[in-house]
Amino acid sequence: MSRYLNDKYMGLEEYVPGEQPKDMKYVKLNTNESPFPPSEGVVEAINADNAMLLKLYPDPDCAELREKIANLFGYKKENVFVSNGSDDILNFSFMAFCSEGSHAVVFPDISYGFYKVYAELYGVDYTQIPLKEDFSIDPEDYIGIGKNIVIANPNAPTGLALSRDTVERIVNSNPDNVVVIDEAYVDFGAESCVGLVNKYDNLLVVRTFSKSYSLAGARLGFAIGSAGLIADLNKIKYSTNPYNINRLSMIAGCRAIDENRYYMNNCKLIARTRARVTEELREMGFEVLDSCSNFIFARSPEISGEELYLELKSRGVLVRHFGAERIKEFNRITIGTDDEMNVFLRTTRDILGK
């Protein structure tokens, strides 16, 4: 850091993305990317003719993409916000709805690491609510809490999910506060709460194209909420960077929505592979949480989480390890192709001598 950095950011503990090593070719199971390529239509749409239009600014309103998303989910365009990945939307949400004092926020103590980063970045009063012993969220901790709420559903890195009815109880019991449900992984087996938006003006559902739509490199996310909440997010967007989605990402997003069936079928294939890998790990003695995501969270009684992570990495298989005390014996394993998961399982057996 330089001596010019604002004092209030000196102690900020920034978010640490998953590794992107270049020293060798890995079976990369650490950042929850899709193992499937974008659809043929998306690839065709990113063509020379559209690339030539990069000399022009993109549509800051993202009108066509918002319209397609609205149609897919049965809402109006004014109920849809589009931005540079779901991280951008979460960032704007903390800016728009949270503050020191009366607009405090709560979220689970084991969840997506950016929630705490955003709270500290903007000086927001926040509370991290501990997960239960089984790593699930206790909804009673959030009922009528009278604060803004952010919940990843399914949660990360655990993969555990709340039912739609449970989320509705939380939203309904906090009518004067915004409830943000981060559904980055919902397409892999959990219940979406998008349908509740027309009942509750305090619910914001955040989604991403990075996971189920195979567009992690395009940096594209969207949110569905009441027209008022969407207008609030647009106020922040137009006060910071109105051209925050590039033209080619918008084109890719539009075509991906057009070919939604392809992507939802891929999600089913990933869920099927997830079930197989979960079963095989349990046969090896692993504890594996019941994931509804495109990853699993597992620990072995025979080897520490860090040691397994390092052994796998040395043999060309990359998974995600977290150092927090409660979860340090676990590793988060992205579900790749069947072939990739076979390599992971075979390598794990070799390490354990099974």
Side-chain angles (χ1 to χ4, degrees):
M1 291 184 294
S2 79
R3 60 192 175 91
Y4 303 104
L5 181 65
N6 191 315
D7 288 345
K8 67 181 180 179
Y9 299 134
M10 286 289 188
L12 186 65
E13 187 176 341
E14 65 267 33
Y15 176 75
V16 180
E19 295 173 271
Q20 303 283 354
K22 301 290 190 289
D23 59 314
M24 62 184 288
K25 183 174 176 60
Y26 288 90
V27 174
K28 193 169 180 296
L29 307 175
N30 70 322
T31 48
N32 300 340
E33 297 140 320
S34 174
F36 297 106
S39 61
E40 291 182 6
V42 167
V43 176
E44 291 171 0
I46 308 300
N47 57 28
D49 289 341
N50 283 321
M52 289 297 292
L53 295 175
L54 288 175
K55 65 182 180 180
L56 304 175
Y57 283 112
D59 173 19
D61 189 48
C62 309
E64 182 181 2
L65 180 54
R66 290 172 60 212
E67 192 72 50
K68 285 181 179 290
I69 294 170
N71 290 339
L72 178 65
F73 290 97
Y75 284 95
K76 297 180 180 179
K77 189 174 72 171
E78 54 262 37
N79 296 116
V80 178
F81 179 79
V82 180
S83 203
N84 188 254
S86 59
D87 288 341
D88 212 27
I89 300 170
L90 294 167
N91 180 25
F92 289 167
S93 297
F94 273 80
M95 293 176 68
F97 309 122
C98 305
S99 66
E100 183 179 5
S102 60
H103 294 90
V105 63
V106 299
F107 43 84
D109 67 332
I110 298 173
S111 193
Y112 186 32
F114 245 136
Y115 304 153
K116 181 181 177 182
V117 173
Y118 289 140
E120 294 184 346
L121 179 64
Y122 297 118
V124 171
D125 287 338
Y126 71 93
T127 302
Q128 294 178 281
I129 298 179
L131 298 181
K132 295 195 295 183
E133 283 300 310
D134 64 358
F135 297 101
S136 65
I137 291 171
D138 187 346
E140 298 305 318
D141 290 336
Y142 299 86
I143 299 297
I145 198 169
K147 298 178 181 180
N148 293 325
I149 298 168
V150 181
I151 292 175
N153 194 44
N155 196 17
T158 66
L160 301 177
L162 298 173
S163 70
R164 172 177 156 150
D165 288 344
T166 298
V167 172
E168 182 169 13
R169 286 180 57 218
I170 293 171
V171 176
N172 185 55
S173 71
N174 293 282
D176 298 321
N177 299 94
V178 176
V179 179
V180 177
I181 302 297
D182 181 356
E183 292 190 347
Y185 302 101
V186 76
D187 289 328
F188 300 100
E191 291 183 280
S192 176
C193 298
V194 164
L196 298 176
V197 165
N198 56 11
K199 292 180 63 176
Y200 300 99
D201 65 359
N202 63 324
L203 172 62
L204 185 72
V205 180
V206 180
R207 304 286 292 268
T208 180
F209 283 83
S210 295
K211 315 301 180 184
S212 52
Y213 286 96
S214 302
L215 289 175
R219 307 311 305 130
L220 195 59
F222 64 96
I224 297 178
S226 66
L229 292 184
I230 300 304
D232 294 340
L233 293 177
N234 273 313
K235 176 179 278 292
I236 301 299
K237 170 184 171 178
Y238 279 88
S239 300
T240 52
N241 182 11
Y243 297 109
N244 67 339
I245 301 178
N246 71 71
R247 181 180 294 274
L248 295 184
S249 290
M250 268 192 270
I251 291 169
C254 286
R255 190 58 65 91
I257 293 295
D258 289 342
E259 299 182 341
N260 186 63
R261 183 178 298 179
Y262 164 80
Y263 295 102
M264 294 305 102
N265 184 61
N266 287 345
C267 291
K268 293 176 182 177
L269 295 176
I270 290 169
R272 186 177 68 188
T273 302
R274 180 187 69 212
R276 175 178 70 86
V277 174
T278 296
E279 181 179 358
E280 293 196 37
L281 283 176
R282 285 173 175 168
E283 289 173 355
M284 280 188 257
F286 278 80
E287 176 188 357
V288 186
L289 302 189
D290 293 324
S291 176
C292 292
S293 303
N294 68 336
F295 58 83
I296 53 178
F297 204 48
R299 65 179 168 187
S300 168
E302 300 179 35
I303 188 171
S304 75
E306 183 178 23
E307 185 180 356
L308 178 58
Y309 152 72
L310 291 172
E311 285 289 340
L312 286 167
K313 183 177 180 180
S314 71
R315 303 177 193 211
V317 179
L318 202 61
V319 299
R320 187 80 189 264
H321 180 259
F322 299 90
E325 185 62 31
R326 281 189 69 189
I327 58 173
K328 67 181 182 180
E329 300 306 329
F330 283 84
N331 284 297
R332 192 192 69 191
I333 304 133
T334 302
I335 301 300
T337 63
D338 280 321
D339 287 344
E340 288 173 327
M341 301 317 294
N342 288 340
V343 172
F344 161 74
L345 290 167
R346 184 171 62 251
T347 306
T348 300
R349 287 192 184 95
D350 288 344
I351 292 169
L352 297 179
K354 293 184 180 289

Short mmCIF file of all heavy atoms in Angstrom, two decimals, residues 95-115:
data_model
loop_
_atom_site.label_atom_id
_atom_site.label_comp_id
_atom_site.label_asym_id
_atom_site.label_seq_id
_atom_site.Cartn_x
_atom_site.Cartn_y
_atom_site.Cartn_z
N MET A 95 -24.46 -0.47 -0.93
CA MET A 95 -24.42 0.99 -1.02
C MET A 95 -25.80 1.61 -0.89
O MET A 95 -25.99 2.62 -0.22
CB MET A 95 -23.81 1.40 -2.37
CG MET A 95 -22.34 1.06 -2.53
SD MET A 95 -21.72 1.47 -4.19
CE MET A 95 -21.80 3.26 -4.15
N ALA A 96 -26.79 0.98 -1.53
CA ALA A 96 -28.12 1.56 -1.61
C ALA A 96 -28.94 1.39 -0.33
O ALA A 96 -29.70 2.28 0.05
CB ALA A 96 -28.88 0.95 -2.79
N PHE A 97 -28.80 0.24 0.34
CA PHE A 97 -29.75 -0.10 1.39
C PHE A 97 -29.15 -0.19 2.79
O PHE A 97 -29.89 -0.24 3.77
CB PHE A 97 -30.43 -1.44 1.06
CG PHE A 97 -31.01 -1.49 -0.32
CD1 PHE A 97 -30.62 -2.46 -1.23
CD2 PHE A 97 -31.94 -0.54 -0.73
CE1 PHE A 97 -31.15 -2.51 -2.51
CE2 PHE A 97 -32.48 -0.57 -2.01
CZ PHE A 97 -32.08 -1.55 -2.91
N CYS A 98 -27.82 -0.22 2.90
CA CYS A 98 -27.19 -0.45 4.20
C CYS A 98 -26.36 0.76 4.61
O CYS A 98 -25.82 1.46 3.76
CB CYS A 98 -26.30 -1.69 4.15
SG CYS A 98 -27.14 -3.19 3.61
N SER A 99 -26.26 0.95 5.92
CA SER A 99 -25.46 2.06 6.42
C SER A 99 -25.16 1.84 7.90
O SER A 99 -25.65 0.88 8.51
CB SER A 99 -26.18 3.40 6.22
OG SER A 99 -27.36 3.45 7.03
N GLU A 100 -24.40 2.73 8.46
CA GLU A 100 -24.17 2.71 9.89
C GLU A 100 -25.44 3.15 10.61
O GLU A 100 -26.11 4.09 10.18
CB GLU A 100 -23.01 3.65 10.24
CG GLU A 100 -22.62 3.65 11.70
CD GLU A 100 -21.46 4.58 11.98
OE1 GLU A 100 -21.03 5.29 11.05
OE2 GLU A 100 -20.99 4.62 13.14
N GLY A 101 -25.82 2.45 11.65
CA GLY A 101 -26.99 2.85 12.43
C GLY A 101 -28.24 2.10 12.05
O GLY A 101 -28.31 0.88 12.14
N SER A 102 -29.24 2.83 11.57
CA SER A 102 -30.58 2.26 11.40
C SER A 102 -30.71 1.29 10.24
O SER A 102 -31.70 0.56 10.16
CB SER A 102 -31.60 3.40 11.21
OG SER A 102 -31.28 4.17 10.06
N HIS A 103 -29.75 1.25 9.33
CA HIS A 103 -29.82 0.36 8.18
C HIS A 103 -28.73 -0.71 8.26
O HIS A 103 -27.97 -0.93 7.33
CB HIS A 103 -29.73 1.14 6.87
CG HIS A 103 -30.89 2.04 6.64
ND1 HIS A 103 -30.91 3.35 7.07
CD2 HIS A 103 -32.09 1.82 6.04
CE1 HIS A 103 -32.06 3.91 6.74
NE2 HIS A 103 -32.81 3.00 6.12
N ALA A 104 -28.68 -1.37 9.41
CA ALA A 104 -27.70 -2.42 9.62
C ALA A 104 -28.08 -3.66 8.80
O ALA A 104 -29.19 -3.78 8.29
CB ALA A 104 -27.62 -2.78 11.10
N VAL A 105 -27.12 -4.59 8.69
CA VAL A 105 -27.34 -5.78 7.88
C VAL A 105 -26.84 -7.01 8.62
O VAL A 105 -25.90 -6.93 9.42
CB VAL A 105 -26.63 -5.66 6.50
CG1 VAL A 105 -25.12 -5.57 6.67
CG2 VAL A 105 -27.01 -6.79 5.57
N VAL A 106 -27.50 -8.14 8.37
CA VAL A 106 -27.06 -9.42 8.95
C VAL A 106 -26.89 -10.43 7.82
O VAL A 106 -27.57 -10.36 6.80
CB VAL A 106 -28.06 -9.95 10.00
CG1 VAL A 106 -28.20 -8.98 11.16
CG2 VAL A 106 -29.41 -10.25 9.37
N PHE A 107 -25.97 -11.37 8.05
CA PHE A 107 -25.76 -12.47 7.11
C PHE A 107 -25.06 -13.59 7.86
O PHE A 107 -24.51 -13.37 8.94
CB PHE A 107 -24.95 -12.02 5.89
CG PHE A 107 -23.77 -11.13 6.18
CD1 PHE A 107 -22.54 -11.67 6.55
CD2 PHE A 107 -23.90 -9.74 6.10
CE1 PHE A 107 -21.46 -10.84 6.83
CE2 PHE A 107 -22.81 -8.91 6.38
CZ PHE A 107 -21.59 -9.46 6.74
N PRO A 108 -25.05 -14.80 7.31
CA PRO A 108 -24.44 -15.93 8.03
C PRO A 108 -22.94 -15.75 8.22
O PRO A 108 -22.27 -15.10 7.41
CB PRO A 108 -24.74 -17.13 7.12
CG PRO A 108 -25.92 -16.72 6.32
CD PRO A 108 -25.76 -15.25 6.09
N ASP A 109 -22.42 -16.36 9.27
CA ASP A 109 -20.98 -16.23 9.55
C ASP A 109 -20.16 -17.06 8.57
O ASP A 109 -19.00 -16.73 8.30
CB ASP A 109 -20.67 -16.62 10.99
CG ASP A 109 -20.88 -18.10 11.30
OD1 ASP A 109 -21.74 -18.72 10.64
OD2 ASP A 109 -20.22 -18.62 12.21
N ILE A 110 -20.72 -18.11 8.03
CA ILE A 110 -20.06 -18.90 7.00
C ILE A 110 -20.89 -18.76 5.74
O ILE A 110 -21.98 -19.33 5.61
CB ILE A 110 -19.93 -20.38 7.40
CG1 ILE A 110 -19.06 -20.49 8.66
CG2 ILE A 110 -19.32 -21.20 6.27
CD1 ILE A 110 -19.01 -21.88 9.24
N SER A 111 -20.40 -17.96 4.81
CA SER A 111 -21.14 -17.69 3.58
C SER A 111 -20.18 -17.03 2.59
O SER A 111 -18.96 -17.09 2.77
CB SER A 111 -22.35 -16.79 3.86
OG SER A 111 -23.23 -16.76 2.75
N TYR A 112 -20.72 -16.41 1.58
CA TYR A 112 -19.91 -15.76 0.56
C TYR A 112 -19.10 -14.63 1.20
O TYR A 112 -19.66 -13.73 1.84
CB TYR A 112 -20.81 -15.24 -0.54
CG TYR A 112 -20.09 -14.67 -1.74
CD1 TYR A 112 -18.86 -15.16 -2.17
CD2 TYR A 112 -20.67 -13.64 -2.47
CE1 TYR A 112 -18.22 -14.64 -3.28
CE2 TYR A 112 -20.04 -13.11 -3.59
CZ TYR A 112 -18.82 -13.61 -3.98
OH TYR A 112 -18.19 -13.09 -5.08
N GLY A 113 -17.79 -14.66 1.01
CA GLY A 113 -16.90 -13.75 1.70
C GLY A 113 -17.08 -12.28 1.38
O GLY A 113 -16.67 -11.41 2.16
N PHE A 114 -17.69 -11.99 0.23
CA PHE A 114 -17.83 -10.59 -0.16
C PHE A 114 -18.82 -9.82 0.72
O PHE A 114 -18.75 -8.60 0.80
CB PHE A 114 -18.28 -10.47 -1.62
CG PHE A 114 -17.25 -9.83 -2.51
CD1 PHE A 114 -16.97 -10.36 -3.76
CD2 PHE A 114 -16.57 -8.69 -2.13
CE1 PHE A 114 -16.02 -9.79 -4.59
CE2 PHE A 114 -15.63 -8.10 -2.96
CZ PHE A 114 -15.36 -8.65 -4.19
N TYR A 115 -19.76 -10.51 1.39
CA TYR A 115 -20.73 -9.79 2.22
C TYR A 115 -20.02 -8.98 3.31
O TYR A 115 -20.30 -7.80 3.52
CB TYR A 115 -21.73 -10.75 2.85
CG TYR A 115 -22.48 -11.64 1.89
CD1 TYR A 115 -22.97 -12.88 2.30
CD2 TYR A 115 -22.71 -11.25 0.57
CE1 TYR A 115 -23.66 -13.71 1.43
CE2 TYR A 115 -23.39 -12.09 -0.30
CZ TYR A 115 -23.85 -13.31 0.13
OH TYR A 115 -24.53 -14.13 -0.74
#
